[in-house]
Amino acid sequence: MTAPDSETVDEPAERRASGRRPSVWRGQGPAVAAVSVGGALGASARYGAALLWPTHTGGFPWTTFWVNVVGCFVIGAFMVVITEVWAAHRLVRPFFGTGVLGGFTTFSTYAVDIQRLVDTGHPRTGLAYLAATLLAALAAVWLAVTATRRILEWRRRR
Amino acid sequence: MNWVLVIVGGMVGAPLRYLTDRAVQSRHDTVFPWGTFAVNVVGCLILGLLTGAAVAGAASSHLQLLLGTGLCGALTTYSTFSYETLRLTEDGARLYAAANVIASVVVGLGAAFAGVSVAEALWA
């Protein structure tokens, strides 16, 4: 199954579809720099949130939960705007989508949080956190994409 | 100092994800998001090793901030994972979407548990 026009976070569809692929690395300097700066901002925001709202041992990791859910909501809205209405500068997507939101949200902390909960005798909290994050994150990205498309449609009709 | 460690880790982790994703995605033609899957699993393994090492007293809090909060946090992503899953369902590839969710969670968790176990065996 191939999908040359599939839209991804890292790369616009038109660049993927352009026939023969040149070197993956050619001309990547500015994008890598933009992703790097965005990643630093996103990771700092997540670290700041963890300092403001620390999770006690054995408790439900609410901070990581909300960081991931909010990040998923924002990427849904952002991707609709950037692919369907706004002809943004080519570094906007690597900076904000790949860098900031990718650096803000985390899969590794999610997995290791579950491991810690199970290991310290809180398997039920771990399981609840596993399922709740997954459901809330997928619901958030769907809701954001749907709501943003509706708002754009409504504005177009006026 | 703590913030500098997180920032440096994030500055390295995010472009590593970007470059890995591009390299992986350019090598195959399936719709399955192997790039994001790969960075998430590798990040879970590294963070598991680091957490196990920290529990055993072999990793400092500074190393945890640099490699754990900064590097692994920025290397792995929940937002791209969710968005790619949604795109798969919108494109009608529901089996791929379900496979992405199940494989990411199962293999990611497996990597985290394995990392902690290996670290504890090495340093405990």
Side-chain angles (χ1 to χ4, degrees), chain A residues 18-93:
Chain A
S18 64
R20 229 168 56 83
R21 295 185 177 99
S23 167
V24 191
W25 316 113
R26 185 178 293 170
Q28 285 300 306
V32 168
V35 170
S36 185
V37 174
L41 287 172
S44 300
R46 174 167 37 79
Y47 177 54
L51 290 179
L52 280 173
W53 303 289
T55 300
H56 68 90
T57 312
F60 191 97
W62 283 113
T63 310
T64 307
F65 171 85
W66 282 115
V67 160
N68 280 335
V69 173
V70 168
C72 288
F73 187 88
V74 177
I75 206 166
F78 171 74
M79 288 301 290
V80 169
V81 169
I82 207 162
T83 56
E84 293 172 24
V85 280
W86 180 34
H89 187 274
R90 68 181 189 92
L91 291 181
V92 169
R93 187 198 300 228

Side-chain angles (χ1 to χ4, degrees), chain A residues 108-109 112, chain B residues 13 16 38-54 59 63-64 66-68 71-73 75-76 108 111-116 119 123:
Chain A
S108 52
T109 306
V112 172
Chain B
L16 269 180
V39 284
N40 278 346
V41 170
V42 170
C44 288
L45 180 69
I46 299 173
L47 191 62
L49 284 168
L50 189 70
T51 305
L63 196 65
Q64 288 184 70
L66 178 73
L67 294 183
L71 192 126
C72 286
L75 177 68
T76 63
F113 274 89
V116 172
W123 288 294

